[in-house]
């Protein structure tokens, strides 16, 4: 059974922006790299590309980064529950 080799985790990330164009999000990612040492993701979920930051096990920790990003101009960022699947 292949599913026994796959493990999933529930995490929280901060979604900072969405766009139909991946290129338009590159400058946002560059700015975020200056603000935080957290991992930054540009992902595609039909029909948009999305910039998400972090891998937090609980919402409270994600809220700390959300407040920091909000103070630095990302006022429309929000916390997104994220399910991550990985092979064991």
């Amino acid at each position: 059974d292949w599913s026994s080799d796959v493990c999933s985790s529930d995490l929280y990330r901060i979604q900072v922006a969405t766009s139909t164009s991946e290129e338009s999000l590159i400058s946002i990612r560059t700015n975020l790299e200056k603000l935080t040492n957290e991992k930054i993701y540009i992902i595609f979920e039909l029909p948009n590309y999305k910039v998400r930051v972090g891998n937090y096990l609980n919402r409270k920790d994600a809220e700390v980064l959300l407040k920091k990003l909000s103070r630095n101009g990302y006022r429309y960022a929000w916390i997104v529950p994220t399910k991550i699947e990985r092979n064991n």
Side-chain angles (χ1 to χ4, degrees), residues 6 10 15 23 26 36 39 45 59 63 65 71:
V6 176
D10 293 320
Q15 185 161 312
E23 293 80 25
I26 300 300
T36 183
K39 182 125 173 84
E45 288 181 346
R59 187 176 181 92
E63 288 172 356
L65 179 60
R71 285 192 310 267

Side-chain angles (χ1 to χ4, degrees), residues 30-54:
T30 301
N31 289 336
L32 288 169
E33 288 169 345
K34 295 173 187 172
L35 282 175
T36 183
N37 292 324
E38 297 295 329
K39 182 125 173 84
I40 300 165
Y41 303 87
I42 295 180
I43 61 167
F44 181 75
E45 288 181 346
L46 199 64
N48 294 311
Y49 289 91
K50 301 173 181 185
V51 177
R52 292 184 178 167
V53 183

Side-chain angles (χ1 to χ4, degrees), residues 4-73:
S4 64
D5 293 334
V6 176
C7 179
S8 68
S9 298
D10 293 320
L11 301 173
Y12 294 92
R13 291 183 176 161
I14 312 300
Q15 185 161 312
V16 177
T18 64
S19 176
T20 56
S21 165
E22 183 178 14
E23 293 80 25
S24 67
L25 300 176
I26 300 300
S27 64
I28 292 172
R29 181 176 63 193
T30 301
N31 289 336
L32 288 169
E33 288 169 345
K34 295 173 187 172
L35 282 175
T36 183
N37 292 324
E38 297 295 329
K39 182 125 173 84
I40 300 165
Y41 303 87
I42 295 180
I43 61 167
F44 181 75
E45 288 181 346
L46 199 64
N48 294 311
Y49 289 91
K50 301 173 181 185
V51 177
R52 292 184 178 167
V53 183
N55 287 310
Y56 294 98
L57 295 175
N58 62 67
R59 187 176 181 92
K60 193 171 196 92
D61 290 341
E63 288 172 356
V64 173
L65 179 60
L66 178 62
K67 288 176 186 175
K68 178 180 180 180
L69 293 175
S70 184
R71 285 192 310 267
N72 283 279

Side-chain angles (χ1 to χ4, degrees), residues 1-7 85 87:
D1 182 17
W2 69 270
S3 63
S4 64
D5 293 334
V6 176
C7 179
E85 291 186 359
N87 291 329

